[in-house]
Amino acid sequence: MPAKKKRYGMVIDTRKCVGCMSCTISCKMENGVPFDGFRAWVNMTERGEFPKVKRNFIPRLCNHCDDAPCVSVCPVKASYIDDDGIVLIDQNKCIGCGYCISACPYSARYLHEGLQVADKCTFCTHRVKAGLEPACVHNCMGKARIFGDLNDPQSEISQHIARNGVQTLRPDLGTNPKVFYVDAELNNLPNKGGK
Amino acid sequence: MNAQEIYLVVNSNPWQALVPLYIFFKGLSVGALCISALFTVFRSERFKRLALPAALTSLIAFIPAPILLLADLHQPLRFWHLFVNFNPTSAISWGTWLIILYPLCLLWYIARLGMSQGISLPLLKGVQESASASQGQRSSGLSLRGVSVLTLVLALLADLYTAFLLGVVKGKVLWNSALLPGYFLASALVTGTALVLIVYLYKKPEEKTVQTLARIIQGTLVLELFFAFSQWITLYATNLQGQKTVELLWHDPKYLIGDIFLGILLPIVLLMRPSVNKKTILTISALLVILGGLLLRFSIVDIGIQAAALWN
């Protein structure tokens, strides 16, 4: 029986995130992300009234959607999903029209000011091919990020998803993200009507 | 319990002024062509004298469009990638071919229209000669009406594709609306007609034709107002994101003062009793309509991006 294809994804357990931003910094350093763009970042909200206040952290990155809108709108097929399910950009093909950046509902793409093409998280595919974890996962001090093969039921990520209730961002859009959140309280964010 | 965002990152969107400007100029061209087509397609004799000037206006209005589009690419020298990598699910892929075919067909249309009216156009001499030769040989060349229908269809598609380009984007409620194609088309028609009216006013205008053009502008402005109202009501009723979007629209002076008041309501009133003798009022009204159409494109693109960023 042929081996099942890999399908990489990530779980972010927000219970363990302390908002240290090491993911943002390590991503910038690993991938040479320019000053005004972000491949990985952490949104923060505060809920409650003094003295009962809680700060929530929502680490963000490209969701590597199975039905990625950025791929379907790219007029030159520069955006594509590779064999391992990672959404990538062929930067030699990209014409810098910005349509994929507008089409991404997660604001995960930006225009690389140096290269003048679209850029985004690649799940550090160069590290993954070398058998390493993405930089943000490797450097997460709270071990809030788990990266692995969603098609392997024995992988740590699959086990974590099976044991915990997970959510994705904007499931209503039907993009089928491969980045999952544990305990993210996504629907309680103020801009989504949360109080 | 209170909740507030204290740190929110939104990657900036590269679509700045050039995208709405491109949509505007293309709309202007398509609208002017529709006036020309009133004679060539719909056989309205009143517009016979106006058909060629309107078509030429359409061609001139189109000239900035491809330049703006190319300038908006951050890798303009790679524009040829668009021709060798067709993605059927991308509106831009379709649009690329439409904005190539439309002006080519428009040139052909102008040449044939000029020939039918016995007018020689020095810049289109070659096109006119080849069209004349194909007519002489009784080959399978299209008649003027056939060319007109083809040009009109391509023009409408070229205008509509930008509405679909925005409309298919997920998670942006302002763009993701079935009203947008109609809204854009109405705006294109009204701005194009306003431009033709300005051109016509300075070419020995006939009273009846001026009145008809003014009525077309008024009627289409009312239609645009209908689209605006429908958009507010449906957005407000949809969800919280829709409500925030309407609030952003209403707080945007480009939209509320520029488009709705100056670009729609004021011209509707000013065009109540159109007459050739009121050349200044007609010109001001037409300029306001064009300004309104321009500001509408800016606000739809800007607010669409801003509203989605709130929801990021």
Side-chain angles (χ1 to χ4, degrees), chain A residues 7-8 63-69 81 85 87 105-106 150 168-180, chain B residues 170:
Chain A
R7 189 170 156 259
Y8 286 121
N63 283 254
H64 294 277
C65 310
D66 278 339
D67 296 301
I81 302 179
V87 178
Y106 308 107
L150 295 164
T168 56
L169 295 172
R170 300 295 307 266
D172 55 310
L173 299 178
T175 53
N176 297 318
K178 290 198 286 289
V179 173
F180 302 89
Chain B
K170 286 175 190 271

Tab-separated table of all heavy atoms in Angstrom, chain A residues 7-8 63-69 81 85 87 105-106 150 168-180, chain B residues 170:
chain	number	residue	atom	x	y	z
A	7	ARG	N	0.235	15.806	5.199
A	7	ARG	CA	-0.643	16.990	5.184
A	7	ARG	C	-0.296	17.786	6.447
A	7	ARG	O	-0.834	17.512	7.516
A	7	ARG	CB	-2.104	16.539	5.183
A	7	ARG	CG	-3.109	17.631	4.965
A	7	ARG	CD	-4.499	17.069	4.729
A	7	ARG	NE	-5.503	18.053	5.071
A	7	ARG	CZ	-6.191	18.065	6.205
A	7	ARG	NH1	-6.021	17.113	7.098
A	7	ARG	NH2	-7.067	19.006	6.441
A	8	TYR	N	0.632	18.729	6.249
A	8	TYR	CA	1.127	19.435	7.425
A	8	TYR	C	0.124	20.459	7.957
A	8	TYR	O	-0.585	21.123	7.190
A	8	TYR	CB	2.436	20.158	7.097
A	8	TYR	CG	3.612	19.218	6.982
A	8	TYR	CD1	4.353	19.121	5.808
A	8	TYR	CD2	3.977	18.405	8.067
A	8	TYR	CE1	5.429	18.258	5.712
A	8	TYR	CE2	5.055	17.528	7.966
A	8	TYR	CZ	5.775	17.467	6.792
A	8	TYR	OH	6.827	16.600	6.696
A	63	ASN	N	-2.967	30.254	7.358
A	63	ASN	CA	-3.730	29.083	7.788
A	63	ASN	C	-3.542	27.874	6.868
A	63	ASN	O	-4.116	26.830	7.112
A	63	ASN	CB	-5.207	29.433	7.895
A	63	ASN	CG	-5.493	30.226	9.152
A	63	ASN	OD1	-6.048	29.719	10.097
A	63	ASN	ND2	-5.075	31.479	9.193
A	64	HIS	N	-2.777	28.043	5.814
A	64	HIS	CA	-2.496	26.955	4.858
A	64	HIS	C	-3.792	26.180	4.540
A	64	HIS	O	-3.854	24.951	4.700
A	64	HIS	CB	-1.395	26.049	5.395
A	64	HIS	CG	-0.078	26.759	5.485
A	64	HIS	ND1	0.764	26.890	4.415
A	64	HIS	CD2	0.490	27.441	6.509
A	64	HIS	CE1	1.833	27.610	4.786
A	64	HIS	NE2	1.675	27.960	6.038
A	65	CYS	N	-4.779	26.943	4.106
A	65	CYS	CA	-6.121	26.407	3.870
A	65	CYS	C	-6.109	25.309	2.796
A	65	CYS	O	-5.374	25.410	1.807
A	65	CYS	CB	-7.049	27.518	3.404
A	65	CYS	SG	-7.009	28.974	4.437
A	66	ASP	N	-6.939	24.309	3.009
A	66	ASP	CA	-7.109	23.284	1.967
A	66	ASP	C	-7.770	23.899	0.729
A	66	ASP	O	-7.492	23.508	-0.397
A	66	ASP	CB	-7.977	22.134	2.499
A	66	ASP	CG	-7.156	21.148	3.329
A	66	ASP	OD1	-5.925	21.125	3.152
A	66	ASP	OD2	-7.748	20.425	4.149
A	67	ASP	N	-8.720	24.817	0.972
A	67	ASP	CA	-9.373	25.521	-0.141
A	67	ASP	C	-8.946	26.985	-0.075
A	67	ASP	O	-9.735	27.874	0.272
A	67	ASP	CB	-10.887	25.388	-0.027
A	67	ASP	CG	-11.317	23.942	-0.159
A	67	ASP	OD1	-11.026	23.340	-1.198
A	67	ASP	OD2	-11.898	23.393	0.805
A	68	ALA	N	-7.683	27.202	-0.397
A	68	ALA	CA	-7.097	28.526	-0.194
A	68	ALA	C	-7.595	29.544	-1.219
A	68	ALA	O	-7.409	29.347	-2.423
A	68	ALA	CB	-5.581	28.420	-0.270
A	69	PRO	N	-8.220	30.645	-0.750
A	69	PRO	CA	-8.699	31.663	-1.699
A	69	PRO	C	-7.555	32.313	-2.472
A	69	PRO	O	-7.715	32.690	-3.628
A	69	PRO	CB	-9.385	32.697	-0.812
A	69	PRO	CG	-9.460	32.147	0.548
A	69	PRO	CD	-8.516	30.992	0.651
A	81	ILE	N	-0.550	24.948	-3.805
A	81	ILE	CA	-0.451	24.081	-2.626
A	81	ILE	C	0.491	22.940	-2.998
A	81	ILE	O	0.255	22.244	-3.993
A	81	ILE	CB	-1.841	23.539	-2.221
A	81	ILE	CG1	-2.791	24.710	-1.933
A	81	ILE	CG2	-1.732	22.626	-0.999
A	81	ILE	CD1	-4.203	24.319	-1.548
A	85	GLY	N	0.683	19.804	1.322
A	85	GLY	CA	-0.446	20.621	1.776
A	85	GLY	C	-0.057	22.016	2.229
A	85	GLY	O	-0.860	22.727	2.838
A	87	VAL	N	0.729	25.877	1.578
A	87	VAL	CA	0.447	26.899	0.565
A	87	VAL	C	1.715	27.736	0.360
A	87	VAL	O	2.257	28.293	1.314
A	87	VAL	CB	-0.733	27.800	0.991
A	87	VAL	CG1	-0.975	28.886	-0.046
A	87	VAL	CG2	-1.995	26.971	1.195
A	105	PRO	N	-8.580	36.123	3.714
A	105	PRO	CA	-9.440	36.659	4.777
A	105	PRO	C	-8.723	36.744	6.124
A	105	PRO	O	-9.277	37.275	7.075
A	105	PRO	CB	-10.594	35.661	4.831
A	105	PRO	CG	-10.099	34.423	4.198
A	105	PRO	CD	-8.963	34.772	3.296
A	106	TYR	N	-7.498	36.226	6.195
A	106	TYR	CA	-6.761	36.216	7.462
A	106	TYR	C	-5.635	37.257	7.483
A	106	TYR	O	-4.842	37.255	8.421
A	106	TYR	CB	-6.199	34.814	7.708
A	106	TYR	CG	-7.258	33.745	7.597
A	106	TYR	CD1	-7.299	32.886	6.500
A	106	TYR	CD2	-8.246	33.609	8.572
A	106	TYR	CE1	-8.293	31.923	6.383
A	106	TYR	CE2	-9.238	32.649	8.457
A	106	TYR	CZ	-9.253	31.806	7.361
A	106	TYR	OH	-10.242	30.867	7.248
A	150	LEU	N	-1.028	15.925	9.691
A	150	LEU	CA	-2.427	15.690	10.083
A	150	LEU	C	-2.932	14.347	9.562
A	150	LEU	O	-3.922	13.809	10.071
A	150	LEU	CB	-3.323	16.823	9.550
A	150	LEU	CG	-3.068	18.219	10.121
A	150	LEU	CD1	-3.729	19.280	9.263
A	150	LEU	CD2	-3.576	18.318	11.553
A	168	THR	N	-11.091	26.692	14.281
A	168	THR	CA	-10.307	27.352	13.238
A	168	THR	C	-10.830	28.778	13.097
A	168	THR	O	-11.941	29.074	13.539
A	168	THR	CB	-10.438	26.642	11.874
A	168	THR	OG1	-11.823	26.580	11.537
A	168	THR	CG2	-9.836	25.250	11.900
A	169	LEU	N	-10.054	29.634	12.451
A	169	LEU	CA	-10.499	31.008	12.222
A	169	LEU	C	-11.486	31.035	11.058
A	169	LEU	O	-11.258	30.390	10.042
A	169	LEU	CB	-9.310	31.913	11.890
A	169	LEU	CG	-8.272	32.133	12.985
A	169	LEU	CD1	-7.075	32.889	12.412
A	169	LEU	CD2	-8.860	32.917	14.145
A	170	ARG	N	-12.549	31.790	11.228
A	170	ARG	CA	-13.580	31.970	10.187
A	170	ARG	C	-13.973	30.670	9.473
A	170	ARG	O	-13.843	30.547	8.259
A	170	ARG	CB	-13.122	32.987	9.136
A	170	ARG	CG	-12.819	34.383	9.635
A	170	ARG	CD	-14.024	35.105	10.184
A	170	ARG	NE	-15.167	35.143	9.291
A	170	ARG	CZ	-15.432	36.156	8.454
A	170	ARG	NH1	-14.617	37.167	8.393
A	170	ARG	NH2	-16.520	36.137	7.715
A	171	PRO	N	-14.478	29.673	10.226
A	171	PRO	CA	-14.890	28.434	9.545
A	171	PRO	C	-16.037	28.667	8.566
A	171	PRO	O	-16.234	27.897	7.627
A	171	PRO	CB	-15.316	27.519	10.706
A	171	PRO	CG	-15.615	28.442	11.836
A	171	PRO	CD	-14.728	29.626	11.658
A	172	ASP	N	-16.783	29.781	8.773
A	172	ASP	CA	-17.918	30.100	7.904
A	172	ASP	C	-17.506	30.351	6.460
A	172	ASP	O	-18.314	30.270	5.546
A	172	ASP	CB	-18.657	31.339	8.442
A	172	ASP	CG	-17.733	32.537	8.631
A	172	ASP	OD1	-16.678	32.371	9.261
A	172	ASP	OD2	-18.064	33.624	8.125
A	173	LEU	N	-16.220	30.651	6.243
A	173	LEU	CA	-15.778	30.978	4.877
A	173	LEU	C	-15.466	29.735	4.045
A	173	LEU	O	-15.244	29.841	2.838
A	173	LEU	CB	-14.546	31.892	4.918
A	173	LEU	CG	-14.737	33.242	5.607
A	173	LEU	CD1	-13.434	34.015	5.624
A	173	LEU	CD2	-15.819	34.063	4.914
A	174	GLY	N	-15.434	28.589	4.692
A	174	GLY	CA	-15.213	27.339	3.946
A	174	GLY	C	-13.825	27.195	3.361
A	174	GLY	O	-13.639	26.528	2.347
A	175	THR	N	-12.847	27.822	4.015
A	175	THR	CA	-11.486	27.734	3.482
A	175	THR	C	-10.739	26.505	4.004
A	175	THR	O	-9.671	26.177	3.501
A	175	THR	CB	-10.684	28.997	3.859
A	175	THR	OG1	-10.776	29.174	5.275
A	175	THR	CG2	-11.222	30.229	3.173
A	176	ASN	N	-11.280	25.862	5.015
A	176	ASN	CA	-10.674	24.673	5.634
A	176	ASN	C	-9.216	24.881	6.040
A	176	ASN	O	-8.303	24.254	5.488
A	176	ASN	CB	-10.799	23.458	4.687
A	176	ASN	CG	-12.253	23.100	4.454
A	176	ASN	OD1	-13.052	23.114	5.386
A	176	ASN	ND2	-12.608	22.836	3.211
A	177	PRO	N	-9.013	25.734	7.036
A	177	PRO	CA	-7.640	25.999	7.485
A	177	PRO	C	-6.989	24.762	8.103
A	177	PRO	O	-7.680	23.886	8.641
A	177	PRO	CB	-7.817	27.078	8.558
A	177	PRO	CG	-9.173	27.629	8.365
A	177	PRO	CD	-9.995	26.518	7.798
A	178	LYS	N	-5.656	24.742	8.057
A	178	LYS	CA	-4.914	23.656	8.720
A	178	LYS	C	-4.177	24.182	9.952
A	178	LYS	O	-3.260	23.542	10.430
A	178	LYS	CB	-3.947	23.014	7.721
A	178	LYS	CG	-4.671	22.214	6.639
A	178	LYS	CD	-3.773	21.232	5.922
A	178	LYS	CE	-2.824	21.861	4.967
A	178	LYS	NZ	-3.434	22.401	3.738
A	179	VAL	N	-4.584	25.360	10.414
A	179	VAL	CA	-4.076	25.864	11.684
A	179	VAL	C	-5.259	25.847	12.654
A	179	VAL	O	-6.308	26.433	12.378
A	179	VAL	CB	-3.498	27.289	11.544
A	179	VAL	CG1	-3.134	27.867	12.916
A	179	VAL	CG2	-2.259	27.264	10.665
A	180	PHE	N	-5.060	25.131	13.769
A	180	PHE	CA	-6.143	24.928	14.728
A	180	PHE	C	-5.797	25.598	16.060
A	180	PHE	O	-4.630	25.684	16.427
A	180	PHE	CB	-6.364	23.429	14.955
A	180	PHE	CG	-6.692	22.675	13.693
A	180	PHE	CD1	-5.671	22.131	12.914
A	180	PHE	CD2	-7.999	22.518	13.272
A	180	PHE	CE1	-5.958	21.457	11.740
A	180	PHE	CE2	-8.295	21.835	12.094
A	180	PHE	CZ	-7.265	21.309	11.322
B	170	LYS	N	-13.421	36.397	-0.403
B	170	LYS	CA	-14.101	35.911	0.812
B	170	LYS	C	-13.833	36.823	1.997
B	170	LYS	O	-12.727	37.354	2.139
B	170	LYS	CB	-13.586	34.517	1.165
B	170	LYS	CG	-14.096	33.418	0.265
B	170	LYS	CD	-13.424	32.107	0.623
B	170	LYS	CE	-13.707	31.034	-0.389
B	170	LYS	NZ	-14.883	30.269	-0.124
